[in-house]
Amino acid sequence: LYTAPDSCEGRCEEPYSEEDECHCSTECERHRSCCGDYHRHCQPEGFSRSRDAISDEDLLHISEQLYKADHNKARPTDITINPQYQASPDETGDQEDRSPQPLYKYVNEELFSKPTYASFIKLLDNYQRVTGREEDVTAEELREQDNFLKEVMKTELMKKLFAFLQKKNRYGSEQEFLADLKEMWFGLYSRGDGEQDSSGFEHVFSGEVKKGKVSGFHNWIRFYLLEKQGLLNYFSHNFNGPWDTYPDVLGLQFSWDGFYKEVGSAFIGSSPEFEFALYTLCFLARPGRTCHLSLGGYSLSIQTYPWTKSTYGNGQKYIATAYVTSP
């Protein structure tokens, strides 16, 4: 009998095969490779007992908790932005600079001396932005990765995320969580012809250039630092979130060294650990699907995709991308 390759109908407990588009055995949650209808059809016992499933309600609750725990976010007086022109959907692709002024009028750079910000910023210059060029990871860069993870894990926000995931049977210890974070975010894979040229962190936070266009690049700190250096030109925005404090969300059009980004959504004024936590949460709970959250009483959705062409550990997936979806 033919069954849809992306469904678990009639496939529960089917043995794992690398050739399958998605999987339906109890191990698929650990590997983040379950089909979208896995819980509906299989309702398995063991690791994926229904009480360990992360419900939509769980996501709304934990995201509000993480929002409240972002003690390192910018205060309203720390950042002044100048969004200028709001582009309509049919204008985002025309590569026209409709905003003569920079996006950032003022950023209190004392923020950047906080340990999570300082360790995050150190990571940003570790990458070759053009896909297809092998990444040469030095011992110093590996130390910088470890230091960033160590600093974010000290925060109340990341401790809350770990406690939630541990309660849901995703991780047995903080060490296990930390080791998996390092692989899923910093593990290298190939977006080109076999070169180890990309990682989730590089794509999402630092940005890449692929086929003459900006790919990824969803971070406000990276944007501000490049704009300040004159390497990035803000064109317009197509979405401005409902928040009247930070973190806010913008959908952006910009040019990076002449390479264009049609819509680059980003949190504005959040701490590095806040973005890192939300993207991780959504990647673990809803890989490849829209993840519905709540921040300060407002709805927000994050889309993540796993990298499907290579795995690590026992078949686990790397992060291909993660970003806020704007309406």
Side-chain angles (χ1 to χ4, degrees), residues 292-310:
H292 300 291
L293 308 178
S294 178
L295 303 183
Y298 291 105
S299 298
L300 174 103
S301 297
I302 285 173
Q303 178 71 48
T304 66
Y305 287 104
W307 186 252
T308 58
K309 295 175 186 173
S310 54

Side-chain angles (χ1 to χ4, degrees), residues 261-324:
K261 181 72 175 178
E262 188 169 330
V263 180
S265 60
F267 287 105
I268 310 290
S270 59
S271 67
E273 61 266 30
F274 178 77
E275 291 178 68
F276 196 68
L278 286 196
Y279 292 148
T280 299
L281 169 67
C282 284
F283 181 66
L284 294 172
R286 300 288 185 270
R289 288 180 283 157
T290 306
C291 175
H292 300 291
L293 308 178
S294 178
L295 303 183
Y298 291 105
S299 298
L300 174 103
S301 297
I302 285 173
Q303 178 71 48
T304 66
Y305 287 104
W307 186 252
T308 58
K309 295 175 186 173
S310 54
T311 59
Y312 66 89
N314 190 16
Q316 278 122 303
K317 298 281 187 15
Y318 299 105
I319 291 175
T321 192
Y323 55 89
V324 182

Side-chain angles (χ1 to χ4, degrees), residues 229-240:
Q229 293 172 53
L231 298 173
L232 189 147
N233 182 14
Y234 169 69
F235 282 17
S236 55
H237 69 287
N238 64 301
F239 173 75
N240 193 341

Side-chain angles (χ1 to χ4, degrees), residues 56-306:
D56 289 349
E57 198 176 336
D58 288 334
L59 288 172
L60 297 177
H61 182 66
I62 185 63
S63 53
E64 284 290 1
Q65 284 193 315
L66 299 178
Y67 179 74
K68 289 185 180 75
D70 189 11
H71 306 308
N72 285 331
K73 68 184 176 187
R75 297 162 308 199
T77 52
D78 286 332
I79 301 175
T80 308
I81 58 172
N82 182 18
Q84 300 164 83
Y85 188 82
Q86 181 156 359
S88 64
D90 58 353
E91 290 174 325
T92 59
D94 64 12
Q95 305 195 30
E96 194 173 323
D97 183 359
R98 295 182 168 92
S99 302
Q101 304 300 316
L103 174 61
Y104 288 92
K105 285 174 91 167
Y106 169 74
V107 171
N108 175 12
E109 293 196 9
E110 283 181 23
L111 278 173
F112 300 161
S113 62
K114 294 185 179 201
T116 56
Y117 284 81
S119 58
F120 173 82
I121 289 167
K122 277 206 165 79
L123 294 167
L124 295 175
D125 64 358
N126 289 355
Y127 299 102
Q128 300 246 23
R129 68 179 179 187
V130 178
T131 58
R133 290 191 189 167
E134 184 100 14
E135 293 292 346
D136 178 23
V137 184
T138 65
E140 174 66 19
E141 288 170 356
L142 288 172
R143 279 194 295 274
E144 288 173 358
Q145 293 172 10
D146 290 337
N147 190 48
F148 171 71
L149 292 169
K150 184 185 79 178
E151 293 299 343
V152 297
M153 286 307 299
K154 288 178 186 173
T155 64
E156 181 193 338
L157 190 155
M158 284 297 283
K159 287 188 183 300
K160 276 187 186 296
L161 175 62
F162 168 67
F164 171 77
L165 294 170
Q166 186 179 39
K167 188 178 167 193
K168 292 292 184 180
N169 253 340
R170 295 304 193 273
Y171 297 100
S173 68
E174 199 170 297
Q175 289 74 17
E176 187 190 342
F177 179 46
L178 200 59
D180 199 33
L181 283 173
K182 183 163 185 179
E183 286 291 347
M184 76 170 83
W185 279 106
F186 294 103
L188 293 172
Y189 51 82
S190 173
R191 287 184 194 261
D193 299 315
E195 310 88 354
Q196 298 289 85
D197 64 339
S198 189
S199 67
F201 186 92
E202 176 184 6
H203 181 85
V204 173
F205 293 104
S206 184
E208 298 181 291
V209 172
K210 186 174 184 181
K211 295 180 180 173
K213 288 184 176 178
V214 176
S215 180
F217 198 135
H218 300 286
N219 179 254
W220 76 271
I221 300 166
R222 175 72 160 159
F223 190 106
Y224 165 74
L225 293 172
L226 288 172
E227 187 178 60
K228 183 183 170 188
Q229 293 172 53
L231 298 173
L232 189 147
N233 182 14
Y234 169 69
F235 282 17
S236 55
H237 69 287
N238 64 301
F239 173 75
N240 193 341
W243 295 270
D244 54 11
T245 184
Y246 297 116
D248 199 353
V249 174
L250 280 179
L252 304 160
Q253 289 70 54
F254 60 90
S255 170
W256 178 20
D257 261 0
F259 300 104
Y260 187 63
K261 181 72 175 178
E262 188 169 330
V263 180
S265 60
F267 287 105
I268 310 290
S270 59
S271 67
E273 61 266 30
F274 178 77
E275 291 178 68
F276 196 68
L278 286 196
Y279 292 148
T280 299
L281 169 67
C282 284
F283 181 66
L284 294 172
R286 300 288 185 270
R289 288 180 283 157
T290 306
C291 175
H292 300 291
L293 308 178
S294 178
L295 303 183
Y298 291 105
S299 298
L300 174 103
S301 297
I302 285 173
Q303 178 71 48
T304 66
Y305 287 104

